[in-house]
Amino acid sequence: EKIRLAKKGFMPNFIPKKTRKFFSDNKFYPVGTLPHTKTSYCNEGYGVVSYKSDRFGLRNSDENWDLLNFSDTTYFVGDSYVAGACVNDEFTFPKVYEEISGDNVINLGSSGNTPYEYIAVLRQIVSPIIKTNNQNKKIVLVFYDNDNKPFNEKIEKQAFQSEEIAIISKDQSIQPKGAYVKLLKKVIEENYPNNKIAIINKYKEEQEELKEKLNTYNFKNNFQYQFFTLVPLRIRINSLLNINQNNANKCIGGRDLCDLDNSPSVKAIKTLKTICNQKESCSPFVVYIPNSAYWRNNPLSSRYLKHIKDAAKIHKITFIDSSKVIDKNSKNDYAPSGPHLSKEG
């Protein structure tokens, strides 16, 4: 399906997690894929989702940026769950929220984003806009289980030292800085397949790699192989070892509870609070989305939930635990063939 879309001119989704390493010596931090570009996304049972990116390379109707000065706006900051993997536009929860609330909504999510990308997005896009905007606005910072990342000095420095990329002109229109767009295009042109033939060839390579992985999986999933290589026993041993390792790695210093001062998630929450405090008309929220027990079971999820809930409470930000309505044990709330939310979810 991606090859078929590539033949029609659709580009891959060049997510910030992949391109940020090429920005490390620059003043900007990537926030999305190529602007104004037909983009193929992902498939978790509903077919390959595709969309046209907006002026910032994000998944919005571009006209929504022109409504910021005329209507109440809600900004959603997050990863692939906010971006809407892997469902069509009308089933992304920012779009569902827009339909229910009547607010203008700006989707600031990208796949693979971490709390460091959240910090960069808040500082580079949200902050310069709300400084000059007098409409009521909400900023919703959305965390998922895999956002529990350890401290990374290099990426953190890159996120906090990045310059604003949103420009507000005299007529109050909002555009990305030309220098940022030019740099992003240069990075992609020099480091990734970006013409039709090269993209199709890359997809074909990935297709062959996937076939090999599936053949290996089918072989190793064979009863005789598992029995004679003691796979079930090794899985249980590794699971116990991983839990202990996760306790050491995911919580700074190996503590039972994560260090609230060094946690990237907490620093993103602090950044949200600081930026929203610039205007009385700004209301911050922190949201938690549970992981699927079927697709991505993690026995430490409850600790991370408590971690960000405590941080939100300390900074007096309304916390919303969506596991009150999203059942991690229900396959119906998650995609037919992947860990993201289903249409129903």
Side-chain angles (χ1 to χ4, degrees), residues 95-270:
K95 192 66 176 178
V96 173
Y97 174 85
E98 184 177 61
E99 293 295 322
I100 293 171
S101 68
D103 277 10
N104 181 41
V105 169
I106 298 293
N107 185 334
L108 298 170
S110 288
S111 287
N113 276 3
T114 71
Y116 288 128
E117 279 72 41
Y118 306 161
I119 291 167
V121 165
L122 286 166
R123 296 182 71 257
Q124 292 187 128
I125 296 180
V126 180
S127 179
I129 291 174
I130 69 171
K131 283 178 187 175
T132 60
N133 184 287
N134 294 318
Q135 302 293 329
N136 291 322
K137 71 275 301 176
K138 303 181 188 75
I139 307 176
V140 185
L141 180 55
V142 182
F143 291 94
Y144 172 69
D145 181 69
N146 67 358
D147 281 326
N148 191 9
K149 303 296 184 184
F151 168 72
N152 185 308
E153 184 178 4
K154 182 178 179 181
I155 300 176
E156 180 170 302
K157 183 178 179 181
Q158 187 180 357
F160 275 109
Q161 291 186 353
S162 58
E163 292 186 10
E164 297 175 351
I165 65 172
I167 299 175
I168 297 86
S169 62
K170 290 181 180 179
D171 64 357
Q172 296 300 300
S173 64
I174 296 161
Q175 296 289 340
K177 279 184 179 177
Y180 165 76
V181 176
K182 184 178 179 181
L183 176 62
L184 178 63
K185 289 181 178 179
K186 183 173 183 288
V187 163
I188 292 170
E189 286 172 3
E190 293 180 353
N191 298 283
Y192 297 96
N194 56 81
N195 63 67
K196 191 179 294 187
I197 295 174
I199 291 167
I200 291 171
N201 287 338
K202 180 63 176 176
Y203 283 149
K204 287 180 177 178
E205 287 176 17
E206 292 175 357
Q207 203 170 37
E208 291 305 314
E209 290 172 5
L210 180 58
K211 285 178 183 177
E212 289 181 18
K213 287 180 181 178
L214 287 171
N215 288 335
T216 302
Y217 172 80
N218 290 333
F219 171 71
K220 290 189 173 182
N221 210 36
N222 178 281
F223 172 77
Q224 287 85 354
Y225 175 88
Q226 295 218 352
F227 179 81
F228 288 109
T229 57
L230 302 175
V231 168
L233 180 60
R234 288 191 286 113
I235 287 174
R236 295 190 67 180
I237 292 171
N238 286 335
S239 178
L240 290 170
L241 292 174
N242 284 337
I243 288 174
N244 290 332
Q245 187 63 39
N246 283 335
N247 284 342
N249 289 343
K250 290 193 173 183
C251 295
I252 308 301
R255 302 175 184 177
D256 286 337
L257 293 175
C258 293
D259 185 340
L260 291 177
D261 291 326
N262 282 319
S263 161
S265 299
V266 175
K267 288 177 181 177
I269 291 171
K270 287 181 179 179

Side-chain angles (χ1 to χ4, degrees), residues 283-337:
S283 302
F285 296 84
V286 170
V287 172
Y288 172 78
I289 295 179
N291 57 302
S292 166
Y294 177 78
W295 291 109
R296 284 181 179 168
N297 190 36
N298 180 5
L300 300 176
S301 293
S302 58
R303 291 188 178 190
Y304 184 57
L305 167 59
K306 183 179 186 303
H307 177 56
I308 58 173
K309 185 177 181 179
D310 288 348
K313 184 177 180 181
I314 289 170
H315 294 283
K316 298 179 180 179
I317 298 175
T318 301
F319 180 79
I320 299 171
D321 177 7
S322 74
S323 59
K324 303 289 185 183
V325 291
I326 299 294
D327 183 359
K328 71 176 186 178
N329 296 306
S330 169
K331 288 187 182 180
N332 292 332
D333 285 345
Y334 297 89
S337 55

